[in-house]
Structures are given as C-alpha cells and as structure tokens.
Amino acid sequence: SKGHVVLNRLYKKDGVSAGILIISSQGNRKNIHTPEYCQFGLGWNVSSREKIILNDTSLGSKNASKLELLREGSSREFIYWFESESYQCATYSDFISKDTLLRLQGQEPQWHLVIVWSDELKNLEDFAKIIPGIQKENQVTSIESGFPQNNVTK
C-alpha cells in the first residue's frame, strides 16, 4: 500500500496477540485497499466474510467488515473499516461509492483504513471496539480510553 501508516501496534499478553494498523489514503483512494488483497498474495484464502456492527465503541457504533482466512490449517481474523472525518464505511464498495459522491460534490475526503487482526484472539470484536477515532488533524486519539489494560499489554 502506498498510504501513510498512522498507527501500527501489536498487543500481546499470555501468548495471545492482536494488532492494529491504521493507514491514511493521503487524499488518494488508490493508496488503501482491504486486507484480502495483501493476504491473498501471501497464500491465505477467504473462509468467510460478513458485515458486522460493533456496538458500544468509544465513538458509538461502527459498521465494519469481518474477514476469516485459512492457510494450511491456520486461521487469521480481520475486522476493518474505512473512515474519514465525517463518514465511515464497512466495505470497499461502500468506501469507493462514498468517496466518488463526495468528490463529485467538490470535497476531497481524507480516508483512513482501520484494520484489527489476530491469529489467536477469540473475541476480536471486543478488542476492535476500543479502537479510537481519527481526529481532524489526522492524528490518532488516545488508545487508553476504554482499553482493557489488565487484559492486554503493549
């Protein structure tokens, strides 16, 4: 991806890890793409894909995509969504449609792709709920609000 990495963190505790990756489009939607694109190139196959709603997040509810992949008996799970200062999209097609509409209206949205993943975490949705929103200045808000520090550490 040609986008700019805003945040890339891996949290580990008791042999279990979960990661967060936030990538900026830098004003060009071609700079960001879904995890399927990269993971397919690494030999992973999609076992399931669905739209989900993450309720009780630090910023209300979020529409997101949940992706489960398999490769040689191993599994990997992703939850991801696209967001700008004013909009949030669960799927790549929703993101492209919204971006196109905004550009036709003369706007130049700055999008971020938020990806949460794990190979081991049983309740990735609970972990994804605490991901902060993107501030106007394209900075990430504090991860500590609502984060279960006693369960997962950096």
Side-chain angles (χ1 to χ4, degrees), residues 12-140:
K12 294 182 178 185
K13 180 155 177 98
D14 299 329
V16 176
S17 63
I20 303 168
L21 178 63
I22 301 176
I23 302 172
S24 169
S25 69
Q26 297 182 314
N28 183 348
R29 69 182 181 200
K30 294 178 185 176
N31 287 340
I32 54 179
H33 53 263
T34 64
E36 289 100 323
Y37 183 81
C38 293
Q39 298 300 306
F40 181 76
L42 295 171
W44 291 88
N45 295 304
V46 175
S47 64
S48 70
R49 179 185 302 123
E50 64 181 318
K51 285 174 76 170
I52 62 171
I53 297 174
L54 299 171
N55 290 311
D56 303 319
T57 68
S58 59
L59 299 173
S61 67
K62 288 187 182 294
N63 293 312
S65 290
K66 182 177 179 180
L67 176 68
E68 294 181 15
L69 305 174
L70 293 174
R71 180 179 73 181
E72 299 173 5
S74 297
S75 64
R76 175 168 288 168
E77 187 173 302
F78 289 87
I79 294 175
Y80 64 90
W81 62 91
F82 300 86
E83 66 180 58
S84 68
E85 183 180 333
S86 303
Y87 301 99
Q88 191 255 319
C89 302
T91 66
Y92 188 73
S93 59
D94 292 345
F95 155 64
I96 293 296
S97 296
K98 187 57 150 178
D99 185 73
T100 300
L101 179 62
L102 293 171
R103 289 181 187 281
L104 288 172
Q105 296 172 346
Q107 298 179 42
E108 296 182 14
Q110 299 293 316
W111 291 96
H112 290 84
L113 171 60
V114 181
I115 304 170
V116 181
W117 79 94
S118 181
D119 292 346
E120 304 107 357
L121 198 60
K122 299 287 188 241
N123 295 311
L124 191 58
E125 288 92 343
D126 292 337
F127 183 76
K129 287 178 183 180
I130 58 86
I131 304 304
I134 305 299
Q135 294 177 338
K136 186 174 182 180
E137 303 83 28
N138 294 334
Q139 298 296 316
V140 177

